[in-house]
């Protein structure tokens, strides 16, 4: 990978580029950004410290969204049978309506599916002045009368917090009145510094109001929950297929292709798998503490990563039958992957990618690019915390600032009757020694190359600079960045919505991704940027055939 | 069924909006701001709103949409956003050097009551605004009106802040094109210059949100009305405001401020509305309509005659913005189609009255609602099915469930291209609209005819 990094950018060493970028900023801003732009140095798994999860500087044009987007959009959005009611003016509800591409598959035609609907109290000036609780109550009643849902979740937007509507007491009151599960989230957009605060609030809410409400023990061996997989473009379907093939029983997914009943039963599983570390690691921790279920960070993005993750699960259970089954599934699936990679890799090898997405994807997708022989020269997250970059070992050293303090931390104690450690400490230690890192995540930076550039909360201006200097072969980000990058003549892959492609998880997904990247980096389009007369500009004085 | 919970039983709702037919003010303000050359729209509030607005505009136009935010956190929400806005202004001018920063509020900064002009004054006093650069602002509380209101407010602010009269009048006409596509603004400019009239069109997003691919990214593309021209709007002989809701406020403000008289017209969508637009242009500028325009008109009329049998008597359901729906309904009726269900999410009682007038000769009971939503619209359709649906992308769920031909029109269109390149205003726009309607209807006929009835020539 070293040569991929040094290719072309011999003109400017990463440190010089960093200085060049900072140069443009007002001094105070430069000082702050300097801590968020890091040149990677990996030494025995030790990496430099990066500043993350801090406020976005007003006016720098960041990629970030808000708390509400994290809570309603990311975590609760994919659950089909909850009525997600946005309490606020119309915009927030409108923009989070169907735009995240979470696919879902109701069991039958009668099964509830509210994903295609957008529910809002559409607050008007009158409610801003006199309070919106009355309208909220009436809206819940109307939603109940028309749709008869099992559960209603209420999401507060910016003005709701300001005018002081008590959404939680409204939820309690209506829950008592209607006899269905109703709960609220104080996820006003201004909370925290990014979507991340919303993930946290969402998870706390589900933990408090839903998980553990149904003690039915379901049939099946190797019961797991999959956390932090949101079924963009059908990823969860592909992962579900693999679990089924391996004989692993999926109790619940948080929250791709999910239903609220599955959340209620989640505590009966024996292992939690964590896909997107950022958005949901709390649930893993809380379920550990309350019910004794350990968690394991996995990654189903990339064929190698998928195989590795399946093996880790098998090792966790330590059951020969499962270990053999997993091996035979991998053997069965891999030829399809190898065939594709043999065809495609020669065309993608040596190309260079940049990834600025989310709070885990910028790490996960590097594995896929590696399989294509591509290097990642620069990466960063939109709303990660230090542990996503540097690994969980830094958790004790993270300074809690005012913005994080505003997000409630639940105080979790072992459940009096249902706490049952699935593995004792010794076994867990032993598993760790054997390469099954229970309750651990090493972070993105240790797996990235020396000298690659890590940027937290990248700005529009920095994006432009990076592209000008490195001229990457592909850039991965979100919709807001897409057409900016493409105007430079560089293909841009959306990794939040997958650009309406996918699935990219698991073995079949990996092959989809190989093909997609091949299509993008080798597209003929980019050759046509200049017209013939722009390449050869001299004038001919007469008609050639004269 | 994707909307499996929508039944034909209509119950009154007072509090719950389901599947809205509108969105919030700031996105309209952001869109209008992008129609000024060298402008960065700035959203004064938390960063979620601007991220949503940028994303939606980007998905609609498939072009870079630049905007900035004050990035409020909990503290700013309590103590006010002054420090954030001043810092943002400083950063934006230092890093991106725009000509103009166009600030709009969000429901957050509106609710806390931040006084933008006062903050801007402070920024100016602190030397944060370079010489020759501008900051304009508008208030866009999202709990009032809709995205159309936001567009109207920002357009009016262009007048409030920048238009200047100097007593003498230039032979030039201001045209406020309304909340329409970049392609429509371009077409309006083309028609006007075809008539030999000098005009200032504002806002003007053509060449900003339908720009070319060149291999170079420019944060500030060549399109957009310049600040120079905006200033000159005060010296024009008159203003044509297209679409009363989106453009009326700015036109009237210009009249009050600089004594530029104005004329409020419907959006030039369809035959009659375009006739009125061109006839008005001709009269106010004292010019003859050139043959090129007469030919276009004749071509549109020709299509209507040729294909009339396929339009005749068809029932249509429409969702969209008031200005668009008014002209569109008139157009459909002029070709003997019947709009029977018409919903806009934007509030305004006048809308219902106008539609009632337009559809007064309809043989059907016409359902019309302002501040309505698509859930109700869908229920109406279940009770009285239609032959065609026209509306934004969200309507496709209804179209699929009910198996009705569907033409995308309005905002937002997230799943198709063309709208930003090919106009629907003017005679040519009318031709394109008809082509789309015909394609939808005839494709359906092809699909549904038996093998015996299947026709080669239609
Ligand atoms: S908080 Fe207000 S301005 Fe922001 S997206 Fe929501 S409705 Fe629109
Ligand atoms: S990868 Fe990012 S966008 Fe995706 S769920 Fe995780 S935090 Fe959210």
């Amino acid at each position: 990978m070293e040569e991929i990094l040094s290719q072309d950018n011999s003109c400017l060493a990463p440190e010089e580029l960093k200085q060049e970028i900072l140069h443009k900023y007002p001094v105070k801003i430069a000082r702050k950004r300097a801590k968020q732009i890091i040149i990677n140095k990996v030494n025995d798994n030790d990496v430099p410290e990066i500043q993350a999860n801090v406020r976005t500087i007003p006016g720098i044009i960041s990629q970030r969204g808000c708390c509400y987007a994290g809570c309603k959009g990311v975590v609760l959005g994919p659950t089909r049978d909850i009525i997600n009611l946005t309490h606020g003016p119309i915009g927030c509800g409108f923009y989070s309506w169907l735009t995240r591409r979470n696919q879902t598959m109701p069991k039958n035609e009668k099964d509830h599916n509210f994903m295609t609907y957008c529910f809002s109290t559409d607050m008007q000036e009158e409610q801003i002045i006199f309070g919106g609780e009355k309208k909220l109550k009436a809206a819940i009643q109307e939603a109940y009368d028309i749709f008869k849902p099992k559960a209603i979740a209420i999401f507060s937007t910016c003005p709701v917090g300001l005018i002081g509507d008590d959404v939680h007491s409204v939820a309690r009151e209506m829950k008592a009145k209607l006899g269905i599960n109703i709960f609220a989230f104080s996820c006003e957009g201004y909370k925290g510094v990014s979507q991340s605060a919303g993930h946290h609030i969402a998870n706390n809410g589900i933990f408090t109001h839903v998980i553990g409400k149904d003690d039915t023990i379901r049939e099946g061996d190797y019961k797991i929950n999959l956390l932090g997989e949101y079924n963009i473009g059908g990823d969860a379907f592909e992962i579900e297929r693999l679990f089924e093939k391996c004989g692993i029983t999926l109790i619940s997914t948080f929250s791709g292709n999910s239903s609220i009943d599955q959340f209620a039963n989640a505590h009966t599983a024996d292992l939690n798998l964590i896909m997107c570390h950022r958005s949901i690691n709390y649930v893993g921790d809380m379920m550990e503490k309350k019910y004794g279920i350990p968690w394991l960070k996995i990654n189903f993005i990339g064929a190698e990563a998928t195989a590795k993750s399946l093996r880790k699960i098998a090792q966790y259970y330590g059951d020969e039958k499962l270990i053999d089954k997993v091996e035979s599934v991998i053997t069965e699936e891999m030829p399809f992957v190898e065939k594709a990679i043999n065809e495609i890799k020669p065309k993608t090898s040596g190309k260079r990618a940049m990834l600025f997405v989310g709070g885990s994807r910028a790490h996960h997708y590097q594995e896929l690019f590696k399989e294509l022989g591509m290097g990642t020269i620069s990466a960063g997250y939109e709303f990660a915390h230090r542990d996503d970059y540097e690994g969980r070992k830094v958790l004790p050293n993270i300074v809690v600032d005012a913005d994080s303090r505003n997000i409630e931390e639940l105080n979790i104690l072992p459940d009096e009757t249902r706490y049952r450690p699935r593995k004792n400490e010794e076994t867990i230690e032993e598993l760790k020694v054997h390469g099954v890192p229970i309750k651990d995540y090493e972070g993105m930076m240790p797996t990235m190359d020396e000298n690659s550039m890590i940027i937290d909360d990248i700005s529009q201006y920095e994006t432009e600079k990076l592209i000008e200097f490195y001229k990457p072969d592909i850039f991965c980000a979100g919709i807001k960045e897409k057409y900016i990058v493409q105007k430079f003549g560089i293909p841009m892959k959306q990794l939040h919505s997958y650009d309406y492609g996918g699935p990219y998880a698991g073995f079949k997904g990996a092959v989809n991704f190989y093909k997609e990247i091949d299509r993008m980096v080798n597209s003929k389009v980019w050759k046509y940027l200049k017209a013939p007369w722009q390449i050869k500009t001299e004038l001919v004085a007469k008609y050639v055939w004269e | 069924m994707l909307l499996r919970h929508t039944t034909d039983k209509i119950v009154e709702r007072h509090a719950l909006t389901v599947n809205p037919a509108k969105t919030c003010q700031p996105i309209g303000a952001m869109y209008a701001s992008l129609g000024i050359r060298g402008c960065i729209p700035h959203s004064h509030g938390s960063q979620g709103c601007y991220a949503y607005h940028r994303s939606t505009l980007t998905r609609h136009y498939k072009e870079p949409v630049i905007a900035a935010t004050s990035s409020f956190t909990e503290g700013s929400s309590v103590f006010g956003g002054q420090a954030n806005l001043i810092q943002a202004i400083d950063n934006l001018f230092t890093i991106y050097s725009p000509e103009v920063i166009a600030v709009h509020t969000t429901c957050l900064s509106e609710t806390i009551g931040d006084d933008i002009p006062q903050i801007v004054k402070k920024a100016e006093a602190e030397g944060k605004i370079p010489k020759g650069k501008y900051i304009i602002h508008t208030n866009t509380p999202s709990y009032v009106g809709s995205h159309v209101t936001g567009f109207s407010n920002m357009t009016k602010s262009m007048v409030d802040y920048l238009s200047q009269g100097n007593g003498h009048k230039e032979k030039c006409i201001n045209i406020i094109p309304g909340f329409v596509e970049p392609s429509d603004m371009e077409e309006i400019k083309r028609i006007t210059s075809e008539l030999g009239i000098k005009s200032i069109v504002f806002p003007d997003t053509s060449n900003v949100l339908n720009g070319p691919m060149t291999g170079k990214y420019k944060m500030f593309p060549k399109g957009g009305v310049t600040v120079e021209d905006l200033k000159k709007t005060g010296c024009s002989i008159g203003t044509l405001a297209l679409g009363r809701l989106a453009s009326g406020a700015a036109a009237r403000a210009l009249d009050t401020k600089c004594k530029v008289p104005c004329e409020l017209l419907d959006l030039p969508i369809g035959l009659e509305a375009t006739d009125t637009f061109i006839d008005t242009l001709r009269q106010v500028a004292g010019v003859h309509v050139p043959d090129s325009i007469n030919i276009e008109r004749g071509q549109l009329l020709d299509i209507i005659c040729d294909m009339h049998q396929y339009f005749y008597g068809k029932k249509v359901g429409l969702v969209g913005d008031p200005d668009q729906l008014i002209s569109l309904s008139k157009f459909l009726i002029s070709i003997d189609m019947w709009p029977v269900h018409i919903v806009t999410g934007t509030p305004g009682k006048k809308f219902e009255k106008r539609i009632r007038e337009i559809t007064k000769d309809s043989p059907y009971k016409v359902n019309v609602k302002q501040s309505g939503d698509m859930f109700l619209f869908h229920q109406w359709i279940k009770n009285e099915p239609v032959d065609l649906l026209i509306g934004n992308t969200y309507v496709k769920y209804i179209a699929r469930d009910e198996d009705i031909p569907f033409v995308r029109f309005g905002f937002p269109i997230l799943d198709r291209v063309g709208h930003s390149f090919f106009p629907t205003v003017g005679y040519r726009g009318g031709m394109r609209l008809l082509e789309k309607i015909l394609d939808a209807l005839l494709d359906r006929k092809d699909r549904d005819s038996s093998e015996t009835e299947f026709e080669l020539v239609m």
Side-chain angles (χ1 to χ4, degrees):
Chain A
M1 284 305 151
E2 275 298 307
E3 67 276 19
I4 288 178
L5 266 172
S6 58
Q7 217 178 291
D8 283 353
N9 54 315
S10 39
C11 48
L12 215 55
E15 187 55 46
E16 285 172 67
L17 172 55
K18 176 175 169 177
Q19 293 315 322
E20 158 105 16
I21 288 174
L22 295 176
H23 186 68
K24 180 107 183 191
Y25 288 129
V27 185
K28 251 174 72 189
I29 311 300
R31 221 176 293 138
K32 186 172 175 194
R33 288 305 293 159
K35 296 187 203 141
Q36 293 175 278
I37 303 177
I38 300 300
I39 315 296
N40 202 26
K41 299 260 172 300
V42 197
N43 220 332
D44 248 357
N45 250 2
D46 235 4
V47 288
E49 182 177 328
I50 187 166
Q51 193 174 63
N53 193 36
V54 291
R55 292 180 186 183
T56 296
I57 302 159
I60 71 157
I61 311 192
S62 125
Q63 299 182 314
R64 280 178 174 173
C66 67
C67 182
Y68 165 85
C71 182
K72 194 262 181 181
V74 174
V75 180
L76 268 302
T79 308
R80 63 177 166 264
D81 52 1
I82 301 180
I83 282 202
N84 285 327
L85 173 59
T86 302
H87 184 38
I90 199 66
C92 322
F94 181 87
Y95 304 115
S96 56
W97 177 21
L98 290 173
T99 46
R100 226 179 104 85
R101 273 195 92 227
N102 309 105
Q103 300 187 355
T104 197
M105 210 185 283
K107 283 201 205 66
N108 56 52
E109 276 165 33
K110 294 252 155 58
D111 218 22
H112 283 178
N113 180 10
F114 300 113
M115 301 250 304
T116 46
Y117 291 85
C118 165
F119 302 94
S120 170
T121 52
D122 186 10
M123 279 174 119
Q124 297 298 303
E125 194 148 27
E126 192 193 320
Q127 285 95 43
I128 299 293
I129 298 168
F130 299 109
E133 289 179 22
K134 233 174 79 195
K135 191 170 192 188
L136 176 60
K137 272 183 222 169
I140 293 170
Q141 183 70 52
E142 289 174 3
Y144 177 77
D145 292 342
I146 299 171
F147 300 98
K148 294 283 174 329
K150 283 184 219 162
I152 299 177
I154 304 155
F155 303 86
S156 305
T157 65
C158 287
V160 170
L162 286 181
I163 62 173
D165 277 0
D166 187 346
V167 290
H168 303 284
S169 86
V170 170
R172 276 192 301 272
E173 189 188 323
M174 294 309 285
K175 181 178 175 173
K177 184 174 174 199
L178 303 174
I180 59 167
N181 199 357
I182 301 179
F183 40 89
F185 298 91
S186 289
C187 55
E188 293 85 355
Y190 55 75
K191 289 252 173 87
V193 300
S194 70
Q195 288 94 315
S196 170
H199 303 150
H200 202 152
I201 290 168
N203 288 318
N204 285 350
I206 300 188
F207 197 81
T208 311
H209 297 287
V210 191
I211 295 176
K213 294 281 182 278
D214 170 15
D215 286 325
T216 318
I217 304 292
R218 284 177 33 207
E219 290 268 323
D221 308 318
Y222 324 116
K223 292 201 252 309
I224 54 146
N225 299 313
L226 180 58
L227 310 185
E229 163 50 56
Y230 302 105
N231 204 21
I232 308 292
D235 273 353
F237 298 145
E238 170 64 4
I239 301 171
E240 285 167 19
R241 181 185 72 86
L242 288 174
F243 286 155
E244 207 176 299
K245 226 173 146 181
C246 295
I248 296 166
T249 308
L250 180 65
I251 299 291
S252 69
T253 302
F254 288 68
S255 40
N257 191 28
S258 60
S259 104
I260 186 167
D261 295 340
Q262 292 168 338
F263 295 163
N265 190 244
H267 64 296
T268 63
D270 293 321
L271 173 66
N272 278 324
L273 302 176
I274 294 202
M275 184 75 172
C276 173
H277 177 262
R278 179 65 268 136
S279 60
I280 207 157
N281 69 76
Y282 334 92
V283 174
D285 278 343
M286 292 190 291
M287 280 173 74
E288 224 273 289
K289 276 194 199 137
K290 187 162 178 179
Y291 303 107
I293 310 170
W295 62 263
L296 179 61
K297 172 78 178 77
I298 45 85
N299 176 20
F300 289 116
I301 300 298
E304 292 294 333
T306 303
K308 228 192 296 171
S309 291
L310 288 174
R311 288 189 175 116
K312 278 190 209 162
I313 299 166
Q315 257 178 294
Y316 167 85
Y317 284 103
D319 184 325
E320 282 309 320
K321 205 175 101 207
L322 180 62
I323 294 173
D324 290 348
K325 187 73 208 170
V326 161
E327 285 310 323
S328 80
V329 168
I330 295 172
T331 318
E332 218 177 288
E333 301 269 335
M334 274 317 260
F336 171 67
V337 175
E338 275 154 15
K339 185 168 169 286
I341 207 70
N342 289 339
E343 268 171 40
I344 293 169
K345 198 172 171 179
K347 295 188 278 173
T348 50
S349 272
K351 296 206 185 288
R352 309 176 316 155
M354 288 186 179
L355 300 102
F356 292 92
V357 249
S360 281
R361 288 183 200 266
H363 187 192
H364 291 161
Y365 276 81
Q366 293 188 27
E367 306 241 8
L368 260 175
F369 281 117
K370 249 183 223 153
E371 290 173 15
L372 288 164
M374 294 172 67
T376 302
I377 41 178
S378 187
Y381 293 130
E382 199 174 334
F383 37 72
H385 301 201
R386 271 185 66 198
D387 41 321
D388 301 294
Y389 288 103
E390 301 169 57
R392 286 179 75 91
K393 59 179 183 298
V394 302
L395 276 174
N397 313 327
I398 294 182
V399 191
V400 183
D401 60 13
D403 293 310
S404 315
R405 237 189 310 273
N406 290 332
I407 315 299
E408 184 195 18
E409 282 288 345
L410 298 184
N411 187 17
I412 305 292
L413 296 170
D415 189 278
E416 276 171 27
T417 53
R418 296 178 294 182
Y419 177 76
R420 180 170 60 84
R422 307 309 203 259
K423 298 262 174 202
N424 60 36
E425 276 309 317
E426 264 164 51
T427 326
I428 288 188
E429 282 315 311
E430 205 172 302
L431 280 166
K432 282 188 183 170
V433 174
H434 288 95
V436 186
I438 306 281
K439 294 186 275 176
D440 197 20
Y441 171 48
E442 96 266 58
M444 176 175 87
M445 286 164 72
T447 67
M448 282 188 73
D449 286 325
E450 196 84 0
N451 277 331
S452 47
M453 209 184 233
I454 320 291
I455 306 185
D456 183 60
D457 187 18
I458 193 170
S459 75
Q460 148 85 22
Y461 160 70
E462 290 155 4
T463 305
E464 281 187 51
K465 280 282 177 205
L466 275 188
I467 292 175
E468 278 167 23
F469 280 103
Y470 285 112
K471 301 196 175 49
D473 296 288
I474 193 160
F475 194 101
C476 303
I479 182 69
K480 301 191 293 296
E481 295 75 40
K482 181 170 178 86
Y483 301 100
I484 297 171
V485 173
Q486 270 179 198
K487 289 281 183 205
F488 282 106
I490 288 167
M492 156 61 227
K493 178 71 188 166
Q494 287 189 70
L495 283 187
H496 295 287
S497 72
Y498 291 174
D499 263 326
Y500 316 99
Y504 296 141
F507 300 108
K508 289 193 176 165
V511 173
N512 286 341
F513 193 75
Y514 303 156
K515 289 184 182 160
E516 173 73 349
I517 297 306
D518 175 33
R519 174 187 75 75
M520 293 182 78
V521 299
N522 293 312
S523 164
K524 288 188 207 61
V525 182
W526 313 113
K527 294 194 202 117
Y528 298 117
L529 291 173
K530 278 201 164 44
W533 51 89
Q534 288 167 324
I535 300 164
K536 250 178 119 184
T537 49
E538 68 270 24
L539 282 175
V540 184
K542 55 180 172 95
Y543 289 113
V544 186
W545 58 81
E546 259 173 14
Chain B
M1 296 293 259
L2 285 162
L3 298 166
R4 56 176 66 184
H5 304 284
T6 309
T7 58
D8 56 5
K9 186 166 164 267
I10 298 174
V11 285
E12 278 281 318
R13 278 174 287 130
H14 302 284
L16 181 70
T17 292
V18 187
N19 298 355
K22 66 166 178 188
T23 184
C24 64
Q25 281 211 49
I27 197 170
M30 189 181 281
Y31 178 56
S33 313
L34 289 164
I36 304 175
R37 188 175 303 177
C39 177
I40 292 186
H42 182 91
S43 161
H44 186 53
S46 44
Q47 68 224 9
C49 313
Y50 111 122
Y52 274 142
H53 304 149
R54 286 183 67 201
S55 296
T56 304
L57 290 174
T58 306
R59 288 189 181 109
H60 178 88
Y61 295 105
K62 307 206 173 354
E63 281 291 303
V65 172
I66 280 301
T69 166
S70 298
S71 294
F72 275 41
T73 50
E74 195 128 25
S76 359
S77 310
V78 178
F79 302 115
Q82 171 165 305
N84 293 49
L85 183 53
I86 293 180
Q87 190 183 23
I89 289 170
D90 187 23
N91 282 332
L92 286 171
F93 280 127
T94 313
I95 305 166
Y96 302 104
S97 39
E99 294 304 312
V100 189
I101 297 173
V103 183
H104 59 261
T105 52
T106 64
C107 40
L108 174 57
S109 55
E110 275 296 317
T111 310
I112 58 178
D114 271 354
D115 180 351
I116 309 290
Q118 176 266 320
I119 300 175
V120 172
K121 245 185 232 142
K122 191 153 191 294
E124 195 166 16
E126 288 175 15
K128 300 280 161 67
I129 307 174
K131 237 184 140 30
K133 306 271 179 166
Y134 297 87
I135 296 182
I136 67 175
H137 107 283
T138 194
N139 291 85
T140 44
S142 15
Y143 39 81
V144 176
S146 76
H147 56 289
V148 186
T149 326
F151 179 93
S152 162
N153 285 340
M154 182 50 86
T155 308
K156 177 175 176 289
S157 283
M158 294 175 195
V159 171
D160 292 343
Y161 273 94
L162 298 169
S163 301
Q164 294 171 357
N166 59 4
H168 92 35
K169 296 281 168 206
E170 292 286 330
K171 268 205 156 187
C172 178
I173 295 176
N174 304 319
I175 301 181
I176 309 176
F179 198 146
V180 292
E181 298 285 340
S183 48
D184 294 321
M185 301 192 184
E186 205 157 341
E187 180 67 359
I188 286 164
K189 285 194 292 189
R190 186 190 68 85
I191 292 173
T192 314
S193 71
E194 198 85 348
L195 284 159
I197 298 167
K198 212 175 136 215
S199 68
I200 299 171
V201 173
F202 76 95
D204 177 9
T205 56
S206 63
N207 248 318
V208 179
L209 291 168
N210 59 358
M213 170 66 88
T214 58
K216 285 202 192 77
Y217 168 69
K218 285 217 184 71
M219 191 171 203
F220 305 114
K222 281 241 173 67
V225 61
T226 59
V227 172
E228 266 332 286
D229 275 351
L230 273 174
K231 285 185 185 166
K232 283 191 212 149
T233 52
C235 303
S236 295
I237 48 170
T239 305
L240 286 191
L242 308 181
R244 286 170 170 77
L245 208 73
S247 310
R252 281 189 293 262
L254 200 48
D255 191 352
T256 316
K257 186 178 177 187
C258 306
K259 305 281 165 296
V260 180
C262 64
E263 188 88 50
L264 271 51
L265 303 179
D266 289 339
L267 280 177
I269 294 169
L271 185 72
E272 288 167 281
T274 305
D275 281 351
T276 312
F277 171 56
I278 290 176
D279 202 35
T280 313
L281 272 179
R282 171 183 75 102
Q283 294 186 22
V284 293
V287 294
H288 285 291
V289 177
D291 250 357
S292 56
I293 296 280
N294 289 328
I295 289 171
E296 286 171 19
R297 184 178 191 279
Q299 286 170 329
L300 173 60
L301 208 51
D302 194 60
I303 296 181
I304 300 175
C305 299
D306 292 350
M307 306 308 271
H308 185 254
Q309 71 184 99
Y310 298 108
F311 302 129
Y312 183 76
K314 294 279 192 307
K315 288 186 288 180
V316 195
L318 307 172
V319 183
D321 296 340
D323 291 339
Q324 265 94 353
L325 291 182
I326 286 167
S327 297
L328 192 59
S329 298
K330 266 172 67 181
F331 186 31
L332 293 173
I333 285 176
S334 77
I335 58 173
D336 290 311
M337 292 177 89
W338 298 115
V340 290
H341 311 303
I342 307 156
V343 163
T344 185
T346 300
K349 284 268 184 280
K350 278 194 195 135
F351 173 76
E352 291 187 5
K353 215 177 130 227
R354 213 38 230 292
I355 295 285
R356 291 265 172 243
E357 272 163 34
I358 294 168
T359 57
K360 65 178 184 312
D361 296 324
S362 177
Y364 300 99
K365 175 179 174 278
V366 176
N367 288 313
V368 46
K369 193 160 165 58
Q370 49 90 22
S371 299
D373 60 27
M374 291 196 210
F375 185 72
L376 175 69
F377 178 73
H378 192 176
Q379 291 184 310
W380 281 344
I381 288 166
K382 286 199 179 273
N383 284 289
E384 172 77 50
V386 294
D387 303 297
L388 179 71
L389 291 171
I390 303 182
N392 67 32
T393 288
Y394 286 94
V395 176
K396 81 174 180 182
Y397 287 81
I398 303 175
R400 181 184 156 114
D401 271 7
E402 306 298 334
D403 195 19
I404 301 172
F406 168 43
V407 170
R408 283 163 182 79
F409 178 83
F411 179 84
I413 295 173
L414 308 171
D415 59 341
R416 292 292 189 274
V417 295
H419 48 91
S420 46
F421 298 107
F422 309 111
T424 54
V425 300
Y427 302 124
R428 284 191 180 173
M431 284 153 75
R432 173 161 175 265
L433 255 179
L434 286 192
E435 186 203 10
K436 288 186 141 267
I437 292 174
L438 275 168
D439 279 351
L441 294 173
L442 295 182
D443 279 350
R444 172 55 51 92
K445 198 171 157 61
D446 277 340
R447 194 196 81 180
D448 291 350
S449 8
S450 67
E451 291 194 359
T452 326
E453 296 158 341
F454 193 71
E455 300 275 2
L456 176 73
V457 185
M458 289 167 107

